[in-house]
């Protein structure tokens, strides 16, 4: 297993991992897989706090993580929202932790103060991952998303990174 910065050649694998979650799960509130251009924009970001990483096993992309804007207002510039996805066939191998450890270190080195993560509930595995990575649970927003004919709560997690 290894983690490295994503490249354009990785975007189809990233899109496939994400599309599976769009179609089958609650981890994203997207209801249609986004076009490739969404991934291209994330990859092209020049903000020093934005990082896009992939995890590989035997040369195949099996997970990804990225940081991006929390809000598009200047005062939030050093606060980034983070996310991690692992291919459904590769869960339980520590890839989420590997990706987050690398991502958070890069964010801290680039001057990010706060990392935020939003998790759809229930998701014990994701909450456990965030807890293990040093995030603290901040609060639940009730029934803010609707997917697969049910209302879904979300919980915000926060990790302080720098000065």
């Amino acid at each position: 297993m290894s983690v490295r910065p994503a490249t354009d050649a990785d975007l189809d694998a990233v899109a496939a991992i994400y599309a599976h979650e769009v179609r089958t799960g609650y981890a994203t509130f997207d209801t249609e897989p986004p076009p490739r251009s969404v991934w291209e924009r994330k990859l092209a970001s020049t903000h020093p706090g934005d990082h896009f990483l992939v995890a590989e096993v035997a040369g195949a992309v099996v997970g990804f993580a990225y940081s991006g804007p929390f809000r598009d207002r200047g005062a939030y510039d050093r606060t980034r929202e983070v996310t991690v996805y692992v291919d459904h066939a590769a869960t339980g191998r520590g890839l989420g932790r590997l990706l987050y450890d690398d991502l958070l270190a890069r964010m801290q080195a680039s001057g990010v103060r706060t990392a935020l993560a939003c998790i759809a509930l229930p998701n014990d595995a994701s909450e456990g991952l965030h807890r293990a990575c040093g995030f603290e649970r901040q609060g639940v927003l009730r029934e803010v998303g609707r997917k697969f004919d049910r209302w879904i709560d979300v919980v915000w997690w926060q990790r302080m990174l720098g000065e």
Side-chain angles (χ1 to χ4, degrees):
M1 294 186 290
S2 64
V3 173
R4 61 171 173 76
T7 68
D8 187 73
D10 300 319
L11 296 184
D12 291 339
V14 165
I17 292 167
Y18 191 78
H20 180 268
E21 188 60 33
V22 169
R23 290 189 304 269
T24 65
Y26 299 98
T28 176
F29 283 2
D30 276 328
T31 56
E32 296 292 329
R36 192 174 203 280
S37 61
V38 168
W39 305 110
E40 290 168 345
R41 279 193 303 276
K42 290 181 187 311
L43 187 62
S45 175
T46 59
H47 187 284
D50 291 352
H51 304 277
F52 193 164
L53 306 175
V54 294
E56 284 184 318
V57 173
V61 172
V62 293
F64 66 94
Y66 60 84
S67 53
F70 168 62
R71 297 283 186 265
D72 291 331
R73 294 176 182 88
Y76 293 119
D77 193 53
R78 290 180 26 179
T79 297
R80 309 314 279 170
E81 190 169 348
V82 297
T83 194
V84 62
Y85 286 89
V86 175
D87 185 284
H88 68 283
T91 59
R93 298 187 205 170
L95 290 166
R97 179 66 187 261
L98 192 67
L99 281 159
Y100 256 162
D101 285 349
D102 195 322
L103 179 68
L104 295 167
R106 288 171 189 262
M107 291 170 64
Q108 185 169 15
S110 64
V112 173
R113 169 97 170 140
T114 307
L116 297 173
C118 185
I119 302 170
L121 296 176
N123 192 333
D124 292 342
S126 186
E127 289 199 276
L129 170 64
H130 286 82
R131 187 176 296 106
C133 290
F135 285 79
E136 295 177 340
R137 199 175 206 254
Q138 297 302 317
V140 173
L141 300 175
R142 301 281 177 209
E143 298 181 359
V144 295
R146 186 162 178 80
K147 191 170 179 184
F148 304 130
D149 296 322
R150 78 172 184 93
W151 287 103
I152 303 164
D153 299 345
V154 298
V155 60
W156 281 97
W157 286 75
Q158 178 180 27
R159 175 163 168 191
M160 303 307 296
L161 297 175
E163 298 299 318

